[in-house]
Amino acid sequence: MPSLSQRIVGAWNVIRGYAAAQDTRASAGWAPSRGSANAEVGAAAATVARRARDAVRNDPYAARIVDLWTGNAVGAGITTRWPDDAHGRAWQRWAESTACDAEGRLDLYGLQALVMRAVVESGECFVRFLPTAPSPSNPIGLRLQVLESDHLDTARQGIMEGAPTLQGIALGEAGEPVGYWLHCVHPGASWLLPGGATWLSSQRVPAADVLHIYRKRRPGQLRDVSWLAPVLLRLRDLGDYEAALLMKAKIEACLAAVVTEEGDEALTGAAAGLLRDAQGRTVESFEPGMILYRRGMGSVEVVNPSGGGSHTAFARRALEAASVGAGLTYDQVSGDLTQANYSSLRAGKIEFRRLCEQVQYGMLIPMLVRPIAERFHAQGALLGLWDADLPDGVSHVPPAHEMIDPLKDTTALIAQVRAGFVPQPEAAGAFGYDFRAAVEMIREANALLDDAGLSLDTDPRRVAKSGAAQDAAQMAAVEIAATGAASPPRDTAPQG
């Protein structure tokens, strides 16, 4: 058995195997936190969220990042397809009207975009289920209330109403959320209401009535920070740098003349170099076209500040780093396509599409879309609109991604389907369609064309018939070649 000293030496040699674990001059000031995900998020989430919102309000690149994530991850909305007409008709009336919104402003797909914006900007968002009276546009009597992260009363810590509570989230035995302490109104708006202090009180809402949407990146993580957290300082530095460049450009554009007047009252010492305007006031800043005066020997001098070099490379590099930190590409955030080509755009589009799919299937669908559909079904079952069991075949279809080159991409997709690499339902899903719904739409379209006596060259039945005829002709040619059953050669012998 090795001695204690031998074990210490062995452990030290293992640590030295990783350069990042060694104490070097480069890592002397590197003191990473040892806190859990909840401890680190809880200490930083509120401050980062406020700074991220300020950046979105004032920084064009931050606003662009939020718009890009919302437009690509949600787009026109993640649709839910039901296998039966009862659910489908009720869902269409509810989801495509503003009756599903507690504020009566957005439909379900607008609420999805609002939630996604809040998650990117603040790191998390809450959706609360609120009951209401059934109506033709809201047959199940359910409304959705979208709440910003500030509604969570993070001051609720310890044992609250018999449950361990961490940052306003009541936990069960396995650490799962069983309740959320939510403010009645946004804390930032309580001062606008009479008796604002009373509005700051929070109440515990069962977890079954609240959806908490955030990107979970560490085990046991209950909350998250703004997606702009890795890039906020870079964007702010870039803004300050551009402001300094603007001031420098203004100074370089200042063309002024300095007139040195002759006189017996010439000043000496530090005052001799003071510049004054025509009224004798000391001038401390330049403006274009200024004429300045000073005492001394008579002369006229032209002040024309020299221009500096180009700083485009530095600004581009800073914006590239900020774009990568936000999960995007430089051309997407900046809109600069001068150095882009088809291959680079396609590669960036494919990578961003994968990230969007990870967000859709790893956050939006399991945390937002599917729970809303399940609650929709449960509310309808309580009203007797359908059976209690959730029907099989419910699907959630993300929006289609725009193609860079539709002809090339469609040709490649057709080849993949024909080769059996991609199932046809998945190919239809790439365009934002549910396969069963697409088949039904094609069937209805064909019936309408047949009733009208129209035959279009885009009719898939004609393509199928043409393909079958070509296959039959090809098989016949193969048979003839194999059996030699061709027409006999003509006798070319001379006639007697």
Side-chain angles (χ1 to χ4, degrees):
M1 182 176 180
S3 63
L4 177 59
S5 60
Q6 291 175 331
R7 292 199 299 269
I8 293 176
V9 171
W12 176 249
N13 290 332
V14 170
I15 293 177
R16 289 178 59 87
Y18 292 91
Q22 300 176 14
D23 292 329
T24 62
R25 180 177 300 177
S27 62
W30 193 352
S33 170
R34 299 178 59 184
S36 66
N38 296 320
E40 294 177 351
V41 171
T47 302
V48 175
R50 289 193 295 268
R51 291 177 177 175
R53 293 169 191 160
D54 180 78
V56 171
R57 289 192 297 264
N58 299 288
D59 190 291
Y61 300 121
R64 175 68 173 164
I65 290 171
V66 176
D67 289 340
L68 282 171
W69 270 112
T70 304
N72 286 271
V74 174
I78 301 176
T79 58
T80 298
R81 306 291 185 180
W82 298 90
D84 59 300
D85 292 338
H87 283 84
R89 289 193 299 267
W91 179 267
Q92 185 176 9
R93 292 201 305 271
W94 181 74
E96 297 182 1
S97 71
T98 58
C100 63
D101 183 10
E103 299 178 0
R105 294 292 183 269
L106 302 173
D107 61 9
L108 180 61
Y109 309 112
L111 293 178
Q112 291 178 2
L114 183 63
V115 169
M116 186 63 196
R117 287 188 63 89
V119 170
V120 177
E121 189 176 87
S122 304
E124 57 189 342
C125 185
F126 297 91
V127 176
R128 187 175 177 182
F129 294 122
L130 297 178
T132 187
S135 64
S137 59
N138 194 343
I140 60 167
L142 178 65
R143 296 180 300 165
L144 305 176
Q145 183 184 25
V146 179
L147 303 175
E148 277 193 322
S149 60
D150 303 73
H151 280 264
L152 183 65
D153 188 0
T154 56
R156 297 280 187 171
Q157 298 271 18
I159 304 299
M160 298 287 174
E161 295 187 358
T165 304
L166 183 62
Q167 300 174 24
I169 303 176
L171 305 176
E173 294 182 357
E176 75 282 6
V178 296
Y180 294 89
W181 289 91
L182 301 177
H183 292 290
C184 299
V185 298
H186 195 289
S190 60
W191 63 275
L192 297 173
L193 302 172
T198 59
W199 293 103
L200 287 177
S201 61
S202 60
Q203 59 180 352
R204 175 175 164 176
V205 181
D209 295 333
V210 178
L211 300 180
H212 187 192
I213 302 95
Y214 65 99
R215 184 168 57 174
K216 190 166 185 174
R217 292 177 282 186
R218 291 179 61 180
Q221 180 181 347
L222 296 174
R223 302 175 59 208
D224 195 21
V225 297
S226 169
W227 293 18
L228 300 176
V231 303
L232 278 178
L233 292 181
R234 285 187 178 271
L235 291 178
R236 186 173 179 83
D237 290 341
L238 180 59
D240 293 342
Y241 177 73
E242 291 177 345
L245 288 182
L246 179 60
M247 180 59 65
K248 183 176 184 293
K250 289 181 178 180
I251 295 175
E252 292 172 354
C254 291
L255 178 63
V258 178
V259 178
T260 304
E261 299 177 319
E262 294 182 354
D264 298 333
E265 300 178 355
L267 300 177
T268 59
L274 292 178
L275 300 177
R276 304 178 184 276
D277 58 14
Q279 286 75 32
R281 295 171 299 190
T282 303
V283 176
E284 297 180 350
S285 61
F286 281 99
E287 294 180 5
M290 295 181 66
I291 298 179
L292 309 175
Y293 298 88
R294 68 181 175 185
R295 296 178 181 178
M297 299 299 293
S299 65
V300 177
E301 300 176 10
V302 177
V303 179
N304 186 11
S306 61
S310 174
H311 303 276
T312 304
F314 174 80
R316 179 185 175 91
R317 186 67 192 98
L319 192 54
E320 285 176 349
S323 302
V324 171
L328 305 169
T329 59
Y330 167 79
D331 57 271
Q332 290 174 322
V333 176
S334 66
D336 180 13
L337 302 178
T338 55
Q339 300 184 17
N341 53 43
Y342 174 79
S343 298
S344 63
L345 289 175
R346 180 178 176 82
K349 191 75 173 178
I350 291 175
E351 180 63 23
F352 187 47
R353 182 180 302 177
R354 291 172 180 169
L355 293 177
C356 286
E357 290 176 351
Q358 182 180 4
V359 170
Q360 291 163 350
Y361 292 100
M363 184 187 74
L364 288 176
I365 291 179
M367 291 186 175
L368 177 66
V369 179
R370 186 181 297 126
I372 289 177
E374 293 173 350
R375 187 59 175 261
F376 174 87
H377 166 78
Q379 287 288 119
L382 291 176
L383 298 175
L385 300 180
W386 41 69
D387 296 335
D389 295 333
L390 188 70
D392 296 331
V394 180
S395 60
H396 310 286
V397 183
H401 293 278
E402 185 178 356
M403 296 180 177
I404 298 177
D405 190 327
L407 180 59
K408 291 182 179 179
D409 293 344
T410 302
T411 303
L413 185 59
I414 292 174
Q416 292 171 350
V417 172
R418 286 181 173 175
F421 299 150
V422 176
Q424 195 165 352
E426 186 174 339
F431 293 90
Y433 290 101
D434 178 74
F435 183 68
R436 289 169 299 183
V439 170
E440 186 61 29
M441 286 189 289
I442 293 174
R443 182 185 292 112
E444 293 177 359
N446 290 338
L448 290 175
L449 292 172
D450 293 341
D451 292 341
L454 299 177
S455 179
L456 304 178
D457 59 357
T458 56
D459 191 339
R461 295 172 297 177
R462 294 186 60 185
V463 177
K465 291 177 182 178
S466 175
Q470 292 178 5
D471 291 344
Q474 185 176 1
M475 291 298 297
V478 172
E479 250 181 69
I480 291 173
T483 60
S487 57
R490 290 184 301 172
D491 188 3
T492 57
Q495 299 294 329

